[in-house]
Amino acid sequence: MNKMSVLISSVLLTSSLALTSLPAQANLPFSVSGQKVPSLAPMLEEVTPAVVLISVRGTHEVQQRNIPDAFKFFFGNPRQQNPTRERPFQGLGSGVIIDADKGYIVTNNHVINEADEIQITLKDGRQIEATKIGADESSDIALLQVDSKNLTAVTIADSDKLRVGDFAVAIGSPFGLGQTVTSGIVSALGRSGLNADNFEDFIQTDAAINSGNSGGALINLRGELIGINTAIIGPNGGNVGIGFAIPSNMVKSLVDQIIEFGEVRRGVLGVSGRSVTGEFAKAMELEGAQGAFVEQVVEDSAAQIAGIEAGDVITKVNGKRIKSFSELRGKIGAIGAGNEVKLSVIKADGDEETYTVVLKKAETANVEPASIHRMLEGAELENNSKGFGVAIKAVEADTPAAMIGLRAGDIISGVNRHRVTNIAELRDYLKDNKGISLLKIIRGNTNLFIRIR
């Protein structure tokens, strides 16, 4: 056998061995020189219509710089030291259709933040105006809705089953070039620390992610959504093989809360602490070098009620091991208030115990009343904790909600002849009514109707 024959045999053998290690869902649509060649094209042809381009327009306030005192009069109050003015902006990003029937699209909050106009461009070229349903700045998730037929939605995978080394494919519209697909692997799990104020539990991947990919899909080889691309590390915003995605389980939990309540009702554990490092574990005589060390438990918090104490080390959340306090914070922050969570804890005496904790509600809220109906803008809404209906917590003066006569303490109990149980039902009924609607209001011991259009 000559050298050329040996080389060809070696190449064919290598190709054959590579094929045997491919996942079962990989497609083998054609052959070259008698050898089948793997391709992701058939899977992508089904999934890519679910990934959209998002174009936004809006205005935001910017500070004037280096304006002499003599000219500040022309920019408003002459005594104002830092005058501002509105500046128009445009932006591009990506989004993922998660419900074709209801037209729900998930993206990053930073993609659509402060936008006055949101336009969706589908892969087939259709352009549709989108409505913002709700958003959560702390986790960088936003939910949009479009009214259109023949949409394609992606299936959501269980991101808790991901392992480092799993294949990953990123889909988005970098630099406004149009839909682009890149591939790589899951490089790490449970990443945090990009923004200490946010709730982070990122998937790290080396699939190329660039500016414009934000809000796009990270999928597995089955075409299932495993994450929403959100951030990169790289000079000048360029890709260097370190990208981050919000896990699909976290996305689903947050989106479900936005759909039901119009806001993220973030669960609160009620502990403060630090990550367990090797040096810290040695000082505390801990066998493991990972987890969340509890330094303080807030009085009457969910953690205290469950029995968690200062000095405990939380090692697992719902059976899944955590590496740091930031990861604990991110996972708890994605679980809604009132839900149960199982925490595995190493006690001070070294024993391991499991606690079932019912999370309490965070004090902050992020309702988007205008996304339900324009005449509700200025009202602070929440589901009525004392029964059915939507409670009006507060009404801002000189807003549409104030002008139609809504008051703090009112309960919206119905729309036309439909009983309203929660914010999600209120949104659905008002969305379907294109003309005049009547809000049934309970005000103290009185029932009344308020007309909106």
Side-chain angles (χ1 to χ4, degrees), residues 133-135 254-265 365-369 371-372 381-383 422-424 427:
I133 299 300
L254 297 170
V255 166
D256 286 347
Q257 293 175 56
I258 291 173
I259 292 171
E260 183 177 359
F261 305 114
E263 64 174 327
V264 171
R265 295 195 164 185
N366 194 18
V367 182
E368 296 283 347
S371 71
I372 299 173
L381 309 178
E382 69 174 5
N383 287 340
N422 54 41
I423 290 174
R427 178 188 294 113

Side-chain angles (χ1 to χ4, degrees), residues 99-429:
D99 189 320
D101 294 332
K102 295 185 178 179
Y104 287 142
I105 298 172
V106 66
T107 185
N108 288 143
N109 176 65
H110 76 260
V111 170
I112 52 85
N113 191 34
E114 297 186 337
D116 299 321
E117 300 176 21
I118 306 174
Q119 186 178 71
I120 303 300
T121 303
L122 302 175
K123 188 183 179 184
D124 61 15
R126 284 181 289 166
Q127 294 185 326
I128 313 165
E129 293 297 320
T131 301
K132 179 181 174 182
I133 299 300
D136 181 53
E137 183 178 358
S138 296
S139 57
D140 200 18
I141 282 293
L143 182 67
L144 311 178
Q145 188 173 34
V146 295
D147 185 7
S148 183
K149 305 294 184 182
N150 301 319
L151 298 177
T152 299
V154 67
T155 300
I156 300 178
D158 182 356
S159 56
D160 283 345
K161 294 181 178 179
L162 283 176
R163 298 179 301 170
V164 173
D166 285 348
F167 289 106
V169 178
I171 310 172
S173 300
F175 305 111
L177 292 173
Q179 195 173 88
T180 301
V181 177
T182 56
S183 66
I185 63 169
V186 173
S187 305
L189 296 168
R191 289 296 198 211
S192 59
L194 273 69
N195 187 329
D197 294 329
N198 284 356
F199 292 87
E200 299 175 343
D201 182 24
F202 291 130
I203 301 166
Q204 182 182 326
T205 180
D206 64 347
I209 297 175
N210 289 285
S211 179
N213 271 106
S214 291
L218 189 69
I219 63 174
N220 58 25
L221 294 190
R222 297 183 186 88
E224 300 167 333
L225 185 72
I226 58 175
I228 296 295
N229 302 325
T230 189
I232 58 174
I233 291 180
N236 303 317
N239 172 64
V240 293
I242 301 178
F244 300 94
I246 303 169
S248 58
N249 285 2
M250 185 175 183
V251 172
K252 186 177 185 305
S253 175
L254 297 170
V255 166
D256 286 347
Q257 293 175 56
I258 291 173
I259 292 171
E260 183 177 359
F261 305 114
E263 64 174 327
V264 171
R265 295 195 164 185
R266 180 162 284 111
V268 174
L269 183 59
V271 299
S272 60
R274 57 183 295 170
S275 299
V276 176
T277 62
E279 183 178 354
F280 184 77
K282 183 178 180 180
M284 297 296 296
E285 298 181 354
L286 298 172
E287 291 185 7
Q290 292 181 334
F293 180 77
V294 178
E295 293 181 331
Q296 182 179 3
V297 178
V298 177
E299 186 177 355
D300 197 35
S301 65
Q304 186 187 60
I305 293 171
I308 294 175
E309 303 171 310
D312 289 349
V313 178
I314 301 173
T315 58
K316 295 179 183 177
V317 177
N318 287 332
K320 184 173 176 61
R321 187 169 296 278
I322 60 170
K323 300 176 182 178
S324 64
F325 194 88
S326 296
E327 188 176 356
L328 170 69
R329 183 172 181 268
K331 289 187 180 299
I332 294 297
I335 300 173
N339 291 324
E340 289 186 353
V341 58
K342 292 188 181 297
L343 301 179
S344 298
V345 173
I346 297 177
K347 305 296 289 184
D349 59 8
D351 291 340
E352 185 172 0
E353 297 185 20
T354 299
Y355 293 90
T356 298
V357 184
V358 180
L359 300 178
K360 291 195 172 184
K361 183 179 181 294
E363 295 300 322
T364 57
N366 194 18
V367 182
E368 296 283 347
S371 71
I372 299 173
H373 194 283
R374 62 186 181 84
M375 297 309 295
L376 295 179
E377 182 179 353
E380 187 176 345
L381 309 178
E382 69 174 5
N383 287 340
N384 184 17
S385 60
K386 298 180 181 179
F388 70 92
V390 177
I392 310 295
K393 290 184 63 178
V395 178
E396 187 178 347
D398 300 323
T399 61
M403 288 188 288
I404 65 174
L406 287 176
R407 300 179 186 175
D410 286 352
I411 304 293
I412 302 175
S413 62
V415 175
N416 298 336
R417 295 183 179 275
H418 300 285
R419 178 185 172 106
V420 167
T421 303
N422 54 41
I423 290 174
E425 289 184 1
L426 176 64
R427 178 188 294 113
D428 288 341
Y429 291 138

Side-chain angles (χ1 to χ4, degrees), residues 376 412 414-415 426 430 437-441 448-450 452:
L376 295 179
I412 302 175
V415 175
L426 176 64
L430 290 179
S437 296
L438 293 175
L439 300 181
K440 184 177 180 181
I441 304 295
L448 64 138
F449 287 88
I450 292 179
I452 61 175

Side-chain angles (χ1 to χ4, degrees), residues 1-13:
M1 183 178 293
N2 58 35
K3 291 183 178 180
M4 182 59 71
S5 298
V6 171
L7 178 60
I8 293 173
S9 298
S10 175
V11 169
L12 294 179
L13 176 60

